[in-house]
Amino acid sequence: MAKPPPPPTFKDKIAKVTDRLLSKHAKQALTDPGMQKWGINNLMRAAKRYNRWRYGEREKKHQKAYDKKLTELMEEHGGPGHYPPKMVMQDGWAIDTSMSLPGLDRLLDEAGQVARERAGKSHTDVQQPYFRNLMVYEDVMKYPSWLDFVTSPDVLATAIHYLKTIPVLSKTRPPGIRFMESNQNLDPNPPGPFSESQLYHMDLHDQPLVYVLVLIDDCTMECGPWHFLPASVSDRAIKALGYQKRGVRYRVTDEEMYSVIDPKEAQIFAYPKGTVLFIDSSRCFHYGSRLSYKPRLQMMYAYTSVTRCDFSQTFMPAFPYPVKKTDSRLRKMVLK
């Protein structure tokens, strides 16, 4: 019989009230006009301070586990030999083309089943007409490879090494796990000016953070692949554009970006099925889903710290990942 949860502390009660008071303003701040009004840097600093007050005890637990027990936790989770990682992120990113990451074959097979059933059709969870999530909640239980892959020791080791803490799989924004289809043919309107995620931007949910992108099918230029700028190039663009300061837009047009950096410095994630990209999307400008006349299918995972740089936890319900008693301590820390 499961133990009942402990009664809420006085701080818990105060925090819930504060969340409610912040939630309305937080929603407005995360819109493009709100970010421009307040300044992305200012919002991120304020959110980090609040979340450290709100979730500071858990943050300390995760940091202590990284500082004092990482080798023990990694060996308990996957056996010896996984840390330091084989794949190390440099300049904000790394690409694995080996097709050897644990659980990748099963992930490709199970995601492929879903793609054959749902891709190319209208779907309820539409972010943009050309960009949609094929996943429903039940998939997490039905297809265990989807979580097994991103919590596998080699994938975790790369993320932990970069973040310098035990991360968590995001439960709010961005979703910690998505199966995304980019398909311009599903857009009811003719393609117009690029907008939203089709324009350069950097994520503000945390800094640093790690996205893990897995190509579920071959991706060519016809698929509207991800384009991104390494962190060092992005740093130059941030300085030149005044990006993330008050009064500056969240999205950046090609004309603006390529007035300060060389277009040839952009990296293009157009690779064969099974290729995996690790990227800090809070440090690397990126865009995707442009003119995806051949559908692009990719799994997208998001690792953040416990104390994020946004206020999404004040107004978004947490996505509950399945956790078993037999799971390792490390996997439980990542998923809870």
Side-chain angles (χ1 to χ4, degrees):
M1 184 175 178
K3 293 182 180 180
T9 65
F10 178 72
K11 179 181 175 180
D12 292 334
K13 295 176 182 178
I14 293 295
K16 286 185 178 181
V17 173
T18 310
D19 282 351
R20 285 197 298 270
L21 293 173
L22 279 173
S23 62
K24 180 180 178 182
H25 300 289
K27 291 177 186 178
Q28 294 172 346
L30 283 174
T31 64
D32 283 352
M35 288 185 279
Q36 189 172 345
K37 175 182 177 182
W38 295 104
I40 295 171
N41 277 335
N42 294 332
L43 290 170
M44 292 174 72
R45 282 195 293 266
K48 179 63 81 170
R49 285 196 292 267
Y50 177 72
N51 288 327
R52 280 187 166 152
W53 170 77
R54 183 79 163 86
Y55 306 105
E57 290 304 312
R58 189 178 175 196
E59 179 188 41
K60 291 176 184 176
K61 177 182 175 183
H62 279 236
Q63 194 60 51
K64 183 178 179 180
Y66 171 81
D67 293 335
K68 306 291 187 181
K69 299 181 179 180
L70 181 57
T71 300
E72 175 187 338
L73 290 169
M74 287 296 300
E75 290 186 357
E76 175 192 288
H77 182 60
H82 296 285
Y83 203 88
K86 303 179 183 72
M87 178 65 59
V88 174
M89 295 171 61
Q90 297 181 345
D91 209 8
W93 65 285
I95 288 181
D96 183 277
T97 59
S98 70
M99 291 290 295
S100 65
L101 289 172
L104 179 61
D105 287 344
R106 281 184 57 221
L107 173 64
L108 294 176
D109 178 63
E110 293 184 353
Q113 294 176 39
V114 172
R116 288 189 291 274
E117 174 188 336
R118 302 175 194 163
K121 303 174 184 177
S122 60
H123 196 296
T124 55
D125 187 9
V126 177
Q127 294 193 355
Q128 299 293 336
Y130 50 82
F131 185 55
R132 62 197 65 209
N133 190 357
L134 298 180
M135 176 183 155
V136 296
Y137 175 71
E138 291 74 19
D139 292 336
V140 180
M141 276 75 72
K142 186 176 180 181
Y143 303 109
S145 70
W146 293 19
L147 282 182
D148 290 346
F149 173 77
V150 77
T151 57
S152 64
D154 287 344
V155 173
L156 263 178
T158 296
I160 289 171
H161 182 270
Y162 181 79
L163 295 171
K164 307 301 184 205
T165 188
I166 306 298
V168 293
L169 202 59
S170 176
K171 295 180 176 64
T172 54
R173 181 185 296 179
I177 174 172
R178 289 177 285 173
F179 183 14
M180 303 306 298
E181 175 187 17
S182 296
N183 190 338
Q184 194 72 43
N185 298 309
L186 297 176
D187 192 339
N189 302 309
F194 296 132
S195 63
E196 300 296 329
S197 61
Q198 294 175 316
L199 296 174
Y200 273 117
H201 62 283
M202 294 197 305
D203 293 330
L204 52 76
H205 316 294
D206 204 2
Q207 193 177 68
L209 61 81
V210 172
Y211 259 20
V212 182
L213 276 58
V214 186
L215 294 178
I216 303 302
D217 206 349
D218 294 344
C219 182
T220 67
M221 293 303 295
E222 296 176 290
C223 301
W226 253 50
H227 286 56
F228 66 91
L229 306 179
S232 58
V233 180
S234 296
D235 286 343
R236 298 202 321 262
I238 291 169
K239 187 176 295 186
L241 297 170
Y243 188 70
Q244 295 185 331
K245 293 182 178 179
R246 185 176 292 180
V248 179
R249 295 190 307 274
Y250 178 50
R251 311 286 181 179
V252 180
T253 66
D254 286 7
E255 292 76 16
E256 292 169 324
M257 184 60 73
Y258 296 143
S259 71
V260 298
I261 66 110
D262 187 336
K264 294 179 181 178
E265 295 181 280
Q267 302 291 320
I268 303 174
F269 188 42
Y271 283 82
K273 171 182 176 180
T275 304
V276 181
L277 170 64
F278 297 83
I279 185 168
D280 183 347
S281 58
S282 75
R283 288 286 318 284
C284 298
F285 275 108
H286 58 279
Y287 72 77
S289 301
R290 291 187 181 181
L291 306 178
S292 306
Y293 290 115
K294 181 180 177 183
R296 186 194 71 194
L297 299 169
Q298 65 185 21
M299 300 295 295
M300 301 179 68
Y301 299 98
Y303 276 124
T304 72
S305 69
V306 171
T307 52
R308 306 160 56 98
C309 286
D310 70 15
F311 291 104
S312 62
Q313 289 163 290
T314 66
F315 65 89
M316 295 183 70
F319 186 94
Y321 301 109
V323 177
K324 303 187 292 289
K325 287 184 178 180
T326 55
D327 285 342
S328 70
R329 288 179 292 167
L330 182 58
R331 178 170 164 129
K332 287 176 179 175
M333 292 180 75
V334 169
L335 296 183
K336 281 188 174 180

